[in-house]
Amino acid sequence: MTVRFHNPVDTRFGCGSLQQLVALTEHQQVALVTFPEARGLGVVDRIQDLLGERLVYLVEDVQPNPDVAWLRTTYERFWRVAADCQTVIAVGGGSAIDTAKALIVGTESGDFAELLALLATGKPFVPARSKALIAAPTTAGTGSEVTPWATIWDAGSQKKYSLHLDSTWPAVAIIDPELMLTVPAEVTVSTGLDALSHALEAIWNVNANPISDTFAIAAIEDILECLPKLRLDLGSRELRSRMALAALKAGMAFSNTKTALAHSISYEMTLRHGLPHGIACSFTLPLVLGLAWGRDAACDQTLQRVFGNNLAVAQARLREFLHSLGVKTEFADYGVPPEEAEAIIGYALQGARGKNFIGAWAA
Ligand SMILES: NC(=O)c1ccc[n+]([C@@H]2O[C@H](COP(=O)([O-])OP(=O)(O)OC[C@H]3O[C@@H](n4cnc5c(N)ncnc54)[C@H](O)[C@@H]3O)[C@@H](O)[C@H]2O)c1
Ligand SMILES: [Fe+2]
């Protein structure tokens, strides 16, 4: 069997690595996309000090789950005012990085409607204009810094778009765990569980291969061990670094497989029930583990390397892990009755991500 693993992102990791922005942006004009708390936390000033006059444009009002209603004006203003900058730097969680991925894809007209129409086709396209992206995550979760995917939400029409082009791979990822020291406990847990979900979804995936599995297994082991400790010791540089590395490994794994059923279910739970992404894509992990088990010998072997060979014990371990972090694991806990849960799972299996699930044909 021949396998291929492809990830073109130039990845820098370590405390203090944000400093590398200086060397990476020499002689360029850059725009910064960041989260609203960044200024109060001193992050905007720090980047302004590093970049000086190179920093020509700033978007600092990115809200969780970038929505078309807000993105429209931000996108059109960016292409009107900052069309000359060469590089966009995203410093934030998945919401800031995904916003930046949408901004760098320039339409001919500069109109956001043109981009949405292209996204609605679900097919790849070559943008009329684009910019380089440097992604510096401030949460240990989405792995968006090493993937080409971005999720664009449309809460008004209860839809989500998936942006994925050759040009949406970040050119550089800077993973500096010091940026994560200020993430509150609740967000630390939900983003850490997003990473756990990425790793598991990379394993129970029709696109899995031994290389993505290697990243995924290492990520799962790290997260199971490290996240409960980090939740009780949020200021620990060592634990922040370990979780940052675990989220990076999970990102590497699913950068080549995409996600699967748990994420497909999550989109409905976020749109209909308002769950944060990390909770929405992790509370079903014990359930999805049960649906994956026994469908494919290679997948079983990988899952059993992590969880042993007893499914009931494996599911109980995952459930207890989630409960210990304060996360409930049943649809009913989120006010979803059994008929609606069944409909959500059925719909999720039909979605693009659901079709990546190893047990899709039998579930
Ligand atoms: N592109 C991908 O591959 C991918 C994968 C998974 C999720 N996502 C998307 O990412 C988004 C979720 O991203 P997220 O989970 O990182 O959360 P987020 O970016 O929405 O951030 C969560 C909250 O934490 C705050 N925050 C972020 N960093 C902080 C810091 N260092 N200190 C204090 N507060 C901070 C934010 O302002 C926000 O209020 C969703 O829209 C989801 O769809 C994308
Ligand atoms: Fe995710």
Side-chain angles (χ1 to χ4, degrees), residues 35-37 41 64-66 93-95 98 101 138-139 142 144 147 149-151 153 179 182-184 187 191 194 198 254 277:
F35 58 106
E37 298 93 326
L41 293 169
N65 299 340
S95 298
D98 285 9
K101 284 180 181 170
T138 61
T139 60
T142 70
S144 186
T147 78
W149 342 115
T151 307
W153 300 83
L179 290 169
T182 52
V183 181
V187 179
T191 51
D194 185 23
H198 295 155
F254 93 106
H277 177 71

Coordinates of all heavy atoms in Angstrom, one line a residue, residues 35-37 41 64-66 93-95 98 101 138-139 142 144 147 149-151 153 179 182-184 187 191 194 198 254 277, ligand 1:
F35 N -9.0 38.8 17.9 CA -10.2 38.7 18.6 C -10.4 39.9 19.5 O -9.4 40.6 19.9 CB -10.2 37.4 19.4 CG -9.0 37.2 20.4 CD1 -9.1 37.3 21.7 CD2 -7.8 36.9 19.9 CE1 -8.1 37.2 22.6 CE2 -6.6 36.7 20.7 CZ -6.8 36.9 22.1
P36 N -11.6 40.2 20.0 CA -11.8 41.5 20.7 C -11.1 41.7 22.0 O -10.7 42.8 22.3 CB -13.3 41.4 21.0 CG -13.9 40.4 20.1 CD -12.8 39.4 19.8
E37 N -10.8 40.6 22.7 CA -10.1 40.7 24.0 C -8.6 41.0 23.8 O -7.9 41.3 24.7 CB -10.2 39.4 24.8 CG -11.6 39.1 25.2 CD -12.3 38.1 24.3 OE1 -12.0 38.2 23.0 OE2 -13.1 37.2 24.7
L41 N -5.6 42.5 26.4 CA -4.6 41.6 26.9 C -3.2 42.0 26.5 O -2.2 41.3 26.8 CB -4.9 40.2 26.4 CG -6.1 39.5 26.9 CD1 -6.5 38.2 26.1 CD2 -6.0 39.1 28.4
P64 N -17.0 34.8 18.0 CA -17.0 33.4 17.8 C -17.9 33.0 16.6 O -19.0 33.5 16.5 CB -17.5 32.8 19.1 CG -17.2 33.9 20.1 CD -17.3 35.2 19.4
N65 N -17.4 32.0 15.8 CA -18.2 31.5 14.6 C -18.5 32.6 13.6 O -19.6 33.1 13.6 CB -19.5 30.8 15.0 CG -19.2 29.6 15.9 OD1 -18.1 29.1 16.0 ND2 -20.2 29.2 16.7
P66 N -17.5 33.0 12.8 CA -17.7 34.1 11.8 C -18.9 33.9 11.0 O -19.1 32.8 10.3 CB -16.4 34.1 11.0 CG -15.7 32.8 11.4 CD -16.2 32.4 12.7
G93 N -8.3 32.5 18.0 CA -8.8 31.2 17.9 C -9.2 30.8 16.5 O -8.9 31.6 15.5
G94 N -9.9 29.7 16.3 CA -10.3 29.3 15.0 C -11.2 30.4 14.4 O -11.2 30.5 13.1
S95 N -11.9 31.1 15.1 CA -12.8 32.2 14.5 C -12.0 33.2 13.8 O -12.3 33.6 12.7 CB -13.7 32.8 15.6 OG -14.5 31.8 16.2
D98 N -10.2 31.5 10.7 CA -11.1 31.2 9.6 C -11.6 32.5 9.0 O -11.8 32.5 7.7 CB -12.3 30.4 10.1 CG -12.0 28.9 10.4 OD1 -10.8 28.6 10.3 OD2 -12.9 28.1 10.6
K101 N -9.0 33.4 6.6 CA -9.0 32.6 5.4 C -10.0 33.1 4.4 O -9.8 33.1 3.2 CB -9.3 31.1 5.8 CG -8.1 30.4 6.4 CD -8.4 29.0 6.8 CE -7.2 28.3 7.4 NZ -7.5 27.0 8.0
T138 N -4.4 31.3 19.2 CA -4.3 31.6 20.7 C -5.1 30.7 21.5 O -5.3 30.8 22.7 CB -4.8 33.1 20.9 OG1 -6.2 33.1 20.5 CG2 -4.0 34.1 20.1
T139 N -5.7 29.7 20.8 CA -6.4 28.6 21.6 C -5.7 27.3 21.1 O -5.2 27.2 20.0 CB -7.9 28.5 21.2 OG1 -8.1 28.2 19.8 CG2 -8.7 29.7 21.6
T142 N -8.5 24.2 17.3 CA -9.0 24.0 15.9 C -8.0 23.4 15.0 O -8.4 22.8 14.0 CB -9.5 25.3 15.3 OG1 -8.4 26.1 15.0 CG2 -10.5 26.0 16.2
S144 N -6.6 25.0 12.9 CA -6.9 25.8 11.6 C -5.6 26.3 11.0 O -5.5 26.6 9.8 CB -7.9 26.9 11.9 OG -8.2 27.5 10.7
T147 N -4.4 23.7 8.5 CA -5.4 23.1 7.6 C -5.8 24.2 6.6 O -5.7 25.3 6.9 CB -6.6 22.5 8.3 OG1 -7.5 23.6 8.6 CG2 -6.3 21.7 9.5
W149 N -9.0 24.4 5.7 CA -10.4 24.5 5.9 C -10.8 25.8 6.7 O -10.1 26.1 7.6 CB -11.1 23.3 6.6 CG -10.3 22.0 6.7 CD1 -9.9 21.4 7.8 CD2 -10.0 21.2 5.6 NE1 -9.2 20.2 7.4 CE2 -9.3 20.1 6.1 CE3 -10.2 21.2 4.2 CZ2 -8.8 19.0 5.3 CZ3 -9.7 20.2 3.4 CH2 -9.0 19.1 4.0
A150 N -11.9 26.3 6.3 CA -12.5 27.4 7.2 C -14.0 27.2 7.2 O -14.6 26.8 6.1 CB -12.2 28.8 6.6
T151 N -14.6 27.4 8.3 CA -16.1 27.3 8.4 C -16.7 28.7 8.5 O -16.3 29.5 9.4 CB -16.5 26.5 9.7 OG1 -15.8 25.2 9.7 CG2 -18.0 26.2 9.7
W153 N -20.3 30.7 8.9 CA -21.6 30.4 9.4 C -22.6 31.3 8.8 O -22.3 32.5 8.5 CB -21.6 30.5 10.9 CG -20.6 29.5 11.5 CD1 -19.3 29.7 11.7 CD2 -20.9 28.2 12.0 NE1 -18.7 28.6 12.3 CE2 -19.7 27.6 12.5 CE3 -22.1 27.4 12.1 CZ2 -19.6 26.4 13.0 CZ3 -22.0 26.2 12.6 CH2 -20.8 25.6 13.1
L179 N 0.7 32.7 24.0 CA -0.5 33.4 23.6 C -1.7 32.7 24.2 O -2.8 33.3 24.2 CB -0.6 33.4 22.1 CG 0.4 34.2 21.3 CD1 0.3 33.9 19.8 CD2 0.1 35.7 21.6
T182 N -3.9 33.1 28.6 CA -5.0 33.9 29.1 C -6.4 33.2 28.8 O -7.4 33.8 29.1 CB -5.0 35.3 28.5 OG1 -4.9 35.1 27.1 CG2 -3.8 36.1 29.0
V183 N -6.4 32.1 28.1 CA -7.7 31.5 27.7 C -8.4 31.0 29.0 O -7.8 30.2 29.8 CB -7.4 30.3 26.7 CG1 -8.8 29.7 26.3 CG2 -6.6 30.7 25.5
P184 N -9.7 31.4 29.2 CA -10.4 31.0 30.4 C -10.7 29.5 30.4 O -10.6 28.8 29.4 CB -11.7 31.8 30.2 CG -11.6 32.7 29.1 CD -10.4 32.3 28.3
V187 N -13.2 27.9 27.9 CA -12.7 27.8 26.5 C -11.5 26.9 26.4 O -11.4 26.2 25.3 CB -12.4 29.3 26.0 CG1 -11.9 29.2 24.6 CG2 -13.6 30.2 26.1
T191 N -12.0 24.0 23.6 CA -11.1 24.0 22.5 C -10.3 22.7 22.5 O -10.0 22.1 21.5 CB -10.2 25.2 22.4 OG1 -9.6 25.4 23.7 CG2 -11.0 26.5 22.1
D194 N -12.2 20.0 21.1 CA -12.3 20.1 19.7 C -11.1 19.3 19.1 O -11.2 18.5 18.1 CB -12.3 21.6 19.3 CG -12.4 21.8 17.8 OD1 -13.0 20.9 17.1 OD2 -12.0 22.9 17.3
H198 N -10.9 16.1 16.6 CA -10.2 16.1 15.3 C -9.4 14.8 15.2 O -9.3 14.2 14.2 CB -9.2 17.3 15.2 CG -10.0 18.6 15.1 ND1 -9.4 19.8 15.5 CD2 -11.2 18.9 14.7 CE1 -10.3 20.8 15.3 NE2 -11.4 20.2 14.8
F254 N -5.9 15.7 10.9 CA -7.1 15.9 10.1 C -6.9 16.8 8.9 O -7.8 17.0 8.0 CB -8.3 16.2 11.0 CG -8.6 17.7 11.2 CD1 -9.7 18.3 10.5 CD2 -7.9 18.4 12.0 CE1 -10.0 19.6 10.7 CE2 -8.2 19.8 12.3 CZ -9.2 20.4 11.6
H277 N -18.4 25.3 19.5 CA -17.9 24.2 18.5 C -17.3 23.0 19.3 O -17.6 21.9 19.0 CB -16.9 24.8 17.6 CG -16.4 23.8 16.6 ND1 -17.1 23.2 15.7 CD2 -15.1 23.2 16.6 CE1 -16.3 22.3 15.0 NE2 -15.1 22.3 15.6
Ligands
LIG1 N1 -10.6 25.6 10.1 C1 -10.7 24.5 10.8 O1 -10.0 23.5 10.4 C2 -11.5 24.5 12.0 C3 -11.5 23.4 12.8 C4 -12.3 23.4 14.0 C5 -13.1 24.5 14.3 N2 -13.1 25.6 13.4 C6 -13.9 26.8 13.7 O2 -13.2 27.6 14.7 C7 -14.2 28.3 15.4 C8 -13.9 28.0 16.9 O3 -12.6 28.4 17.2 P1 -12.1 28.3 18.7 O4 -12.6 27.1 19.3 O5 -10.6 28.5 18.7 O6 -12.8 29.5 19.5 P2 -12.9 31.1 19.1 O7 -11.9 31.5 18.1 O8 -14.3 31.3 18.7 O9 -12.6 31.7 20.5 C9 -13.4 31.4 21.6 C10 -13.4 32.6 22.6 O10 -12.2 32.7 23.2 C11 -11.7 34.0 23.1 N3 -10.2 33.9 23.0 C12 -9.5 33.3 22.0 N4 -8.2 33.3 22.4 C13 -8.1 33.9 23.6 C14 -7.0 34.1 24.5 N5 -5.7 33.8 24.2 N6 -7.3 34.7 25.7 C15 -8.5 35.0 26.0 N7 -9.6 34.8 25.2 C16 -9.4 34.2 24.0 C17 -12.3 34.5 21.8 O11 -12.4 35.9 21.7 C18 -13.7 33.9 21.9 O12 -14.6 34.7 22.7 C19 -15.6 27.8 15.0 O13 -16.1 28.8 14.1 C20 -15.3 26.5 14.3 O14 -16.2 26.3 13.2 C21 -12.3 25.6 12.3

